[in-house]
Amino acid sequence: MSYESAKARFADWGVDTDGAIGRLADIPISMHCWQGDDVVGFEQSTGTSGGGIQATGNHPGRARSPEELRADLEFAYAMIPGKHRLNLHAMYLDTDETPDRDEIEFRHFTPWVEWASEQGIKLDFNPTFFAHAKADDNLTLSHPDKGIRDFWIEHGKRTREIAARMGQELGSPCINNIWVPDGYKDIPIDRMAARRRLEASLDDMLAPSQDRAHMRDAVESKLFGIGVEACTVGSHEFYMGYAIRKETILCLDMGHFHPTENIADKVSSVALSVDELLLHVSRPMRWDSDHVILLNDDILQMAQELVASDILDRTHIGLDFFDATISRTAAWVIGTRNMQKALLRALLLPLERLRGLEDSLDFTSRLTHTEELKDLPYGAVWDEFCSRNDCPSGMTLIGNLDAYQASVSGRG
Ligand code: RNT
Ligand code: ZN
């Protein structure tokens, strides 16, 4: 179907497709660097990621250096319509030096900032509280040993300084997201003590004030992880309260709740209590498995909630998945485009009309509407969005992804 006929079909429902395309072009997605190399990073002496984070698979083509990762990212961004962000983790430093986590400085990341500036990409950042000997017990900021807590507090402070410099250099606030793996494999005696220690450490870390035009702090909760089945210190309730009291951004990772919970339902509730949200859009399968996101009901509902609740301008959309059984570049491209496709569908809803039906308790017509709307030609509008942004779709996209994967599959 041509775009013109699709536009007319949507116009029958009172929906302006050009308006939706225009709005979608202004929504940046923060693409996570760690899909490109299976969460390994570029420190000289890393082991496995630990902390219950697990990339499984050994498909050829994993990026082994910052240069390879940047080349892969450039290709991926070229296959994704619009301008997006890159979400870097502290363990992706690019330097010949070997600073420990409590020694990192902005200069260890300057190649990333120079590259981002050339590419017109803004950066987000994360302290890395895993894949380190001092995190082997799955306790970092809540560790009973003050020396270990202090080590991680210093790491966190440094990432906040680095994030602020990144944001300043690139002219866009860098979201620095704190996730710690802290928890207990078996039933702890004193959860309160662990939570008090985590809170005190976070307070210390966040004490130095930073300009919110340059960086903003976010905190990410989790239900459980492999190895910390009995208790996660930084639970949802912990961070929800913390974010409200300390006025940080709250990060909701879609894999960090019980599998039957609907994460889309949460955003309007938490948005009443915190100014800004960060999402880690992910696809848990039975557990926090971080599968590549599909254009499925979970993602469609999430996008719909952001649009219908009118919180797009205070929600930072980040992605968090990593599949090592498929092409890493294809994973980025598929997942990021799916997030955009979901947002496009939400932007193409006749929301006023649907709200009217709901408010007049006409649930029959609400259901008829939402089901009939599923037959509208979303694909034609998406194709138009891609072509206006010089991006391929369909068979051309598949050909490009295959060719790029073939070009990197010889990496050892
Ligand atoms: C882990 C969290 C966290 C990480 C990244 C690498 O369960 O989801 O966001 O995936 O920081
Ligand atoms: Zn996450």
Side-chain angles (χ1 to χ4, degrees):
M1 177 183 276
S2 74
Y3 175 64
E4 287 311 317
S5 5
K7 184 174 168 168
R9 289 278 307 279
F10 280 97
D12 289 344
W13 289 81
V15 171
D16 168 17
T17 50
D18 287 327
I21 287 177
R23 278 189 75 190
L24 185 60
D26 287 336
I27 306 176
I29 311 288
S30 189
M31 212 165 79
H32 51 312
C33 71
W34 53 92
Q35 165 64 83
D37 78 328
D38 313 338
V39 210
V40 175
F42 303 127
E43 288 167 322
Q44 316 291 335
S45 57
T46 37
T48 50
S49 40
I53 302 177
Q54 211 173 348
T56 51
N58 195 21
H59 198 72
R62 185 183 85 75
R64 299 157 303 175
S65 66
E67 291 74 22
E68 287 182 351
L69 190 57
R70 285 192 281 268
D72 293 354
L73 283 163
E74 282 178 34
F75 168 73
Y77 286 123
M79 299 296 111
I80 298 165
K83 266 281 163 232
H84 300 285
R85 305 176 66 91
L86 175 66
N87 192 10
L88 271 182
H89 238 282
M91 67 173 172
Y92 287 78
L93 73 186
D94 184 358
T95 174
D96 293 334
E97 297 174 46
T98 55
D100 203 347
R101 298 271 173 90
D102 62 341
E103 297 166 335
I104 53 168
E105 292 185 29
F106 179 71
R107 70 168 189 280
H108 302 127
F109 296 88
T110 45
W112 281 110
V113 178
E114 281 159 16
W115 173 83
S117 169
E118 277 160 31
Q119 302 284 319
I121 286 168
K122 312 297 183 192
L123 294 177
D124 295 312
F125 202 47
N126 306 256
T128 310
F129 290 102
F130 50 86
H132 189 283
K134 288 196 167 70
D136 277 352
D137 295 318
N138 281 332
L139 291 168
T140 62
L141 292 178
S142 73
H143 202 290
D145 181 329
K146 181 172 185 305
I148 293 188
R149 290 201 304 278
D150 286 346
F151 172 85
W152 290 114
I153 290 168
E154 183 61 26
H155 174 60
K157 284 183 174 165
R158 283 170 183 254
T159 63
R160 297 181 67 238
E161 285 164 15
I162 295 165
R165 273 292 292 282
M166 287 175 167
Q168 184 174 20
E169 303 278 330
L170 297 169
S172 169
C174 174
I175 310 304
N176 194 47
N177 179 53
I178 302 164
W179 173 75
V180 298
D182 295 37
Y184 293 100
K185 181 180 175 72
D186 222 331
I187 301 161
I189 300 301
D190 200 343
R191 295 171 196 255
M192 182 60 120
R195 291 189 164 127
R196 283 197 199 285
R197 288 191 297 265
L198 176 56
E199 172 161 273
S201 296
L202 289 167
D203 285 351
D204 260 14
M205 238 180 88
L206 301 184
S209 80
Q210 299 287 353
D211 188 339
R212 68 187 302 282
H214 299 152
M215 75 81 64
R216 294 178 198 172
D217 301 291
V219 289
E220 179 182 4
S221 68
K222 188 158 171 169
L223 177 64
F224 97 104
I226 300 290
V228 294
E229 288 83 356
C231 168
T232 292
V233 183
S235 61
H236 177 54
E237 291 72 14
F238 177 92
Y239 279 123
M240 176 132 176
Y242 192 84
I244 294 169
R245 283 181 290 124
K246 312 288 168 149
E247 300 185 332
T248 72
I249 298 176
L250 183 67
C251 173
L252 299 179
D253 182 309
M254 292 177 72
H256 289 192
F257 294 87
H258 189 280
T260 62
E261 283 187 81
N262 176 0
I263 320 308
D265 176 64
K266 299 178 188 298
V267 295
S268 51
S269 294
V270 300
L272 291 174
S273 293
V274 297
D275 283 343
E276 290 177 73
L277 291 177
L278 169 64
L279 297 182
H280 273 189
V281 183
S282 192
R283 178 165 57 108
M285 202 183 284
R286 307 189 193 285
W287 72 293
D288 182 28
S289 60
D290 290 295
H291 280 73
V292 177
I293 58 170
L294 306 179
L295 187 61
N296 63 11
D297 284 348
D298 296 342
I299 308 301
L300 290 166
Q301 280 183 35
M302 177 57 85
Q304 187 173 324
E305 285 303 316
L306 299 182
V307 174
S309 304
D310 196 19
I311 50 172
L312 270 175
D313 59 348
R314 54 191 182 104
T315 304
H316 306 273
I317 305 176
L319 307 178
D320 189 3
F321 50 77
F322 31 95
D323 189 338
T325 68
I326 60 175
S327 159
R328 314 306 187 289
T329 44
W332 269 325
V333 172
I334 295 163
T336 311
R337 287 169 64 109
N338 277 341
M339 187 69 232
Q340 291 183 289
K341 287 183 189 180
L343 288 164
L344 178 62
R345 288 192 185 214
L347 293 167
L348 288 168
L349 285 172
L351 274 180
E352 285 320 309
R353 189 168 174 154
L354 294 169
R355 277 195 194 105
L357 296 171
E358 186 162 282
D359 289 347
S360 57
L361 309 192
D362 189 351
F363 300 136
T364 307
S365 200
R366 183 184 65 181
L367 189 60
T368 323
H369 274 69
T370 53
E371 293 311 291
E372 285 297 303
L373 283 165
K374 288 179 180 169
D375 297 325
L376 290 183
Y378 298 95
V381 184
W382 169 255
D383 282 349
E384 178 69 12
F385 176 66
C386 289
S387 88
R388 286 189 196 176
N389 286 281
D390 298 319
C391 246
S393 50
M395 296 309 286
T396 316
L397 173 71
I398 292 171
N400 288 350
L401 292 176
D402 286 350
Y404 191 81
Q405 174 58 26
S407 78
V408 299
S409 63
R411 290 175 184 169

